[in-house]
Amino acid sequence: MRDLYCGDVNESHIGKEITLCGWVNRRRDLGAVIFLDLRDREGMVQVVYDPDLPEVIAKANTLRNEFCVQIKGKVRARPEGQINKDMKTGAIEILGLELTILNKSAPLPLDSNQNNSEEQRLKYRYLDLRRSEMTERMRFRAKVTSAVRTSLEGQGFLDIETPILTAATPEGARDYLVPSRTHKGQFFALPQSPQLFKQLLMMSGMERYYQIVKCFRDEDLRADRQPEFTQIDIETSFMSSEQVMNVAETMIVKLFKDLMNVDLGTFPRMTYLEAMTRFGSDKPDLRNPLELVDVADIVKDVEFKVFSGPANDEKGRVSVICVPGGAAKFSRKGLDELTKYVGIYGAKGMPWLKVNDVDAALSTGIDGIQSPVLKFLNEEAVKALLTRTNAKTGDIIFFGADKYNVVTESLGALRLKLGEDLELLQGDWKPLWVVDFPMFEEADGGMHAIHHPFTAPINLTAQALEANPVGALSDAYDMVLNGCELGGGSVRIHNQDMQAAVFRILGISDEEAQEKFGFLLEALQYGAPPHAGLAFGLDRLVMLMTGASSIRDVMAFPKTTTAACPLTNAPGKANPAQLVELGIACLPKTEKKAEPLAE
């Protein structure tokens, strides 16, 4: 139906008659002459209809935005002074000779000025995807997946599919369940990741596996979460964590270089402990120059219990953030708003200290300082604080003093907010690897795996691990870019004794382990090789590379934040006959009764 794409017409076609198909992006009627901007996947080209062809121009006069048309015309150079340098095809235009309306368009339910809610955009996603911005993101995503396949297959990886209907696995979120018709009362689970299957593939001797795979998690959503998302899944045999990281880093560096002409360089390594200590996050944004500075030793003897209490508590933390030039940037109202903000993360307050004259403050410990808590601090403590933070005149220091997690999370979040609000971010791309994660954390009276229960510890026997699980480090690694976790993985447990020890630490009984992971435990008995892997979030990676604000803007048909699809009205009610066939009964919705008023 056409000779080439609209966006591919160029000066080499001048003088030729061509046929194009696409959508009317805009029609401009100048009386005797009608201009069309014709759009398809590859771009836009200007078409001109003049009075010499009255039947054609009459038909062109009926066109409206988003009519689907076929045009035939002659390519010519634009007149001098009318070249549009902002358009790929701006040096040429097409003199329209024929026009066929393939399909008309009803008045659009979306605002052409893009004043549309996300609900509207998702309901009419097929129209939203016609926008050049969205089209380009879909094209870019396709380039990413193609480049990933080329990179991994060039390194000997095999693309192997794993089941979608499977058993439930512990991945940290609720499973989506699928009822079985042939086994009534029993259910499949949609995979939260192919974790167990890719380990089994290593035990099968595949050695290098990859898959661009759909994963499913029934969890509360936000900008970078969806109930179904896509992973670049990788697993290897006979490779150390260092070797796996090199494979992944090489792939990501090549992606950025080939698709964006960005050189990410060599990724620095940072331990989990250092990341949490300096940045209050296990995925620090290194573009942000602000850091957390621990000062518990400085304030442990002050009379102010808000500081000295946590400073003398082994589970407490006292830390500060010094903001260069920040003293003049925050009014009292602004400081109150920041205090409310850190309150979201459990902080009960946020003392601050403005440095109006650092020389006077270093001399006296009092002069040149403005702070609501200055009267509670002695001169030595103030001088030590200024020295440790390397504070200068005009700086402001924010304090966090509470339990370790509260201070770390609240100041970590404050650091990010200040970096954005004060436009402190430096550089375009700052990648790193975060390594040496704790293997377990204590919560709710028990132990929980930081990653998953198949992660191996670093240089520990099963006996040593059980003797001190809290002190164990896992052989795990996360790739972080601009404060966003691109992906992560670990060396897996390939020894049955070690796997059994981890299950005991997590409080998983032998019976429960056999019920959930019996097939994996059995496979470990038959010469399972050392293996390791990782997975990248494809949606998140494309979101970063395209500068989108949400992964919904790089997915063709995403869900809303309530895991619904306005386009198809999913989820919906099942046919009663289907439910009978599956042996399922739906409970009626019950409204919560109001409590009776007290007499």
Side-chain angles (χ1 to χ4, degrees):
M1 292 184 70
R2 61 182 170 196
D3 296 322
L4 68 166
Y5 287 110
C6 295
D8 291 339
V9 186
N10 56 50
E11 290 165 287
S12 70
H13 300 107
I14 290 175
K16 296 180 181 179
E17 289 192 8
I18 61 173
T19 301
L20 301 176
C21 294
W23 288 267
V24 176
N25 195 70
R26 187 170 58 140
R27 180 180 67 88
R28 302 186 302 283
D29 189 346
L30 302 185
V33 179
I34 292 177
F35 289 88
L36 297 182
D37 288 338
L38 188 66
R39 184 196 73 243
D40 64 15
R41 193 189 75 181
E42 297 299 321
M44 197 146 46
V45 68
Q46 179 171 282
V47 183
V48 183
Y49 291 98
D50 64 30
D52 292 343
L53 297 171
E55 291 185 7
V56 177
I57 201 168
K59 187 181 292 186
N61 197 43
T62 68
L63 297 177
R64 299 291 182 269
N65 287 2
E66 298 307 315
F67 273 35
C68 185
V69 300
Q70 179 192 62
I71 71 103
K72 292 184 181 181
K74 179 177 286 190
V75 182
R76 66 185 185 185
R78 287 204 192 191
E80 193 68 32
Q82 294 184 22
I83 293 175
N84 186 346
K85 294 182 180 180
D86 295 329
M87 281 181 70
K88 180 181 174 183
T89 60
I92 56 91
E93 63 184 14
I94 298 174
L95 176 62
L97 303 176
E98 296 181 27
L99 172 62
T100 302
I101 298 176
L102 301 174
N103 213 335
K104 296 181 179 181
S105 173
L108 297 177
L110 293 180
D111 180 1
S112 60
N113 294 318
Q114 304 311 317
N115 296 319
N116 302 301
S117 68
E118 186 169 62
E119 185 85 7
Q120 288 175 301
R121 290 179 57 207
L122 294 184
K123 181 175 177 59
Y124 300 101
R125 189 60 161 184
Y126 46 87
L127 296 178
D128 187 53
L129 287 172
R130 290 184 190 175
R131 291 191 295 126
S132 58
E133 180 182 40
M134 294 300 296
T135 300
E136 186 53 39
R137 286 173 181 164
M138 294 302 107
R139 285 164 50 83
F140 189 87
R141 182 182 176 118
K143 290 178 182 179
V144 170
T145 58
S146 177
V148 166
R149 294 184 188 281
T150 300
S151 175
L152 293 175
E153 288 169 10
Q155 299 180 69
F157 284 83
L158 303 178
D159 182 0
I160 305 176
E161 294 179 351
T162 53
I164 293 298
L165 296 176
T166 183
T169 57
E171 297 284 347
R174 289 180 293 272
D175 290 308
Y176 277 102
L177 298 179
V178 179
S180 170
R181 178 185 59 81
T182 53
H183 302 276
K184 287 187 178 178
Q186 299 185 51
F187 296 82
F188 295 104
L190 301 183
Q192 296 187 36
S193 85
Q195 181 62 47
L196 298 183
F197 286 107
K198 64 186 180 183
Q199 289 190 244
L200 290 171
L201 285 170
M202 296 305 99
M203 298 171 196
S204 305
M206 297 299 102
E207 296 209 13
R208 295 191 178 197
Y209 141 94
Y210 88 94
Q211 187 182 187
I212 298 178
V213 60
K214 279 288 187 183
C215 302
F216 307 86
R217 296 184 183 180
D218 185 7
E219 58 187 344
D220 295 331
L221 307 183
R222 53 179 186 263
D224 60 348
R225 292 281 173 89
Q226 280 282 292
E228 53 179 314
F229 56 96
T230 307
Q231 281 187 181
I232 305 168
D233 209 44
I234 301 171
E235 197 78 8
T236 70
S237 296
F238 308 113
M239 275 195 180
S240 65
S241 54
E242 190 70 27
Q243 290 171 316
V244 173
M245 284 190 281
N246 286 338
V247 167
E249 184 174 322
T250 298
M251 182 186 76
I252 294 298
V253 167
K254 184 171 174 54
L255 275 180
F256 273 78
K257 185 64 176 176
D258 291 350
L259 301 184
M260 301 177 65
N261 197 28
V262 169
D263 185 1
L264 293 178
T266 301
F267 294 13
R269 309 290 168 91
M270 183 180 296
T271 66
Y272 170 87
L273 179 60
E274 181 183 356
M276 298 301 285
T277 301
R278 293 175 57 192
F279 305 109
S281 171
D282 61 358
K283 48 181 185 294
D285 188 345
L286 298 186
R287 296 174 301 166
N288 187 335
L290 301 180
E291 294 192 19
L292 281 61
V293 179
D294 285 335
V295 296
D297 59 313
I298 293 176
V299 299
K300 65 180 182 179
D301 295 323
V302 301
E303 295 181 5
F304 193 36
K305 297 299 182 183
V306 171
F307 288 170
S308 60
N312 289 283
D313 183 350
E314 62 179 12
K315 294 184 178 181
R317 183 177 186 183
V318 183
S319 191
V320 299
I321 294 177
C322 181
V323 183
K329 295 180 179 179
F330 296 100
S331 64
R332 187 55 190 252
K333 180 182 178 182
L335 292 171
D336 289 342
E337 289 175 351
L338 287 181
T339 301
K340 289 180 181 178
Y341 178 76
V342 296
I344 297 172
Y345 300 90
K348 301 178 183 67
M350 190 183 64
W352 49 268
L353 184 152
K354 289 185 176 182
V355 185
N356 297 324
D357 186 337
V358 72
D359 292 330
L362 287 172
S363 175
T364 67
I366 298 175
D367 296 333
I369 296 295
Q370 177 186 352
S371 173
V373 298
L374 181 61
K375 60 184 177 181
F376 301 113
L377 302 175
N378 55 50
E379 296 178 10
E380 292 74 17
V382 173
K383 292 178 181 178
L385 283 169
L386 297 176
T387 300
R388 182 164 298 179
T389 58
N390 196 28
K392 303 289 190 298
T393 298
D395 293 356
I396 187 170
I397 297 173
F398 294 107
F399 291 82
D402 210 308
K403 294 297 183 183
Y404 180 88
N405 287 344
V406 171
V407 172
T408 302
E409 291 180 18
S410 60
L411 288 190
L414 177 65
R415 171 182 174 270
L416 294 178
K417 179 173 176 58
L418 293 173
E420 292 284 350
D421 292 352
L422 301 180
E423 299 181 349
L424 301 177
L425 303 187
Q426 302 169 359
D428 296 322
W429 303 102
K430 290 294 180 70
L432 79 154
W433 285 104
V434 178
V435 298
D436 294 352
F437 287 82
M439 192 152 174
F440 303 103
E441 63 179 349
E442 293 181 277
D444 303 322
M447 302 294 289
H448 298 266
I450 295 289
H451 281 79
H452 53 64
F454 315 110
T455 300
I458 297 176
N459 298 328
L460 288 177
T461 64
Q463 293 77 15
L465 180 66
E466 286 196 88
N468 183 25
V470 175
L473 297 179
S474 63
D475 204 351
Y477 33 83
D478 281 358
M479 182 185 286
V480 177
L481 181 63
N482 292 2
C484 185
E485 181 191 328
L486 283 186
S490 67
V491 172
R492 322 303 188 187
I493 296 170
H494 70 283
N495 176 280
Q496 192 179 30
D497 291 340
M498 179 65 76
Q499 189 65 74
V502 169
F503 285 158
R504 285 194 293 271
I505 292 169
L506 295 175
I508 298 175
S509 66
D510 292 343
E511 293 76 15
E512 185 181 358
Q514 280 298 324
E515 179 184 352
K516 291 184 176 179
F517 317 112
F519 59 94
L520 178 69
L521 297 176
E522 184 176 8
L524 289 173
Q525 300 178 59
Y526 302 114
H531 55 286
L534 80 168
F536 290 102
L538 174 63
D539 313 297
R540 200 172 300 175
L541 174 62
V542 177
M543 178 186 76
L544 278 179
M545 296 179 80
T546 59
S549 59
S550 164
I551 64 170
R552 290 191 288 277
D553 281 337
V554 297
M555 302 171 77
F557 299 103
K559 305 291 190 294
T560 66
T561 52
T562 59
C565 176
L567 175 64
T568 62
N569 290 321
K573 294 182 179 180
N575 186 304
Q578 288 179 301
L579 295 179
V580 171
E581 194 172 26
L582 292 168
I584 292 176
C586 290
L587 296 175
K589 267 189 176 181
T590 56
E591 294 185 8
K592 187 176 180 181
K593 293 182 179 180
E595 295 292 332
L597 296 175
E599 294 182 0

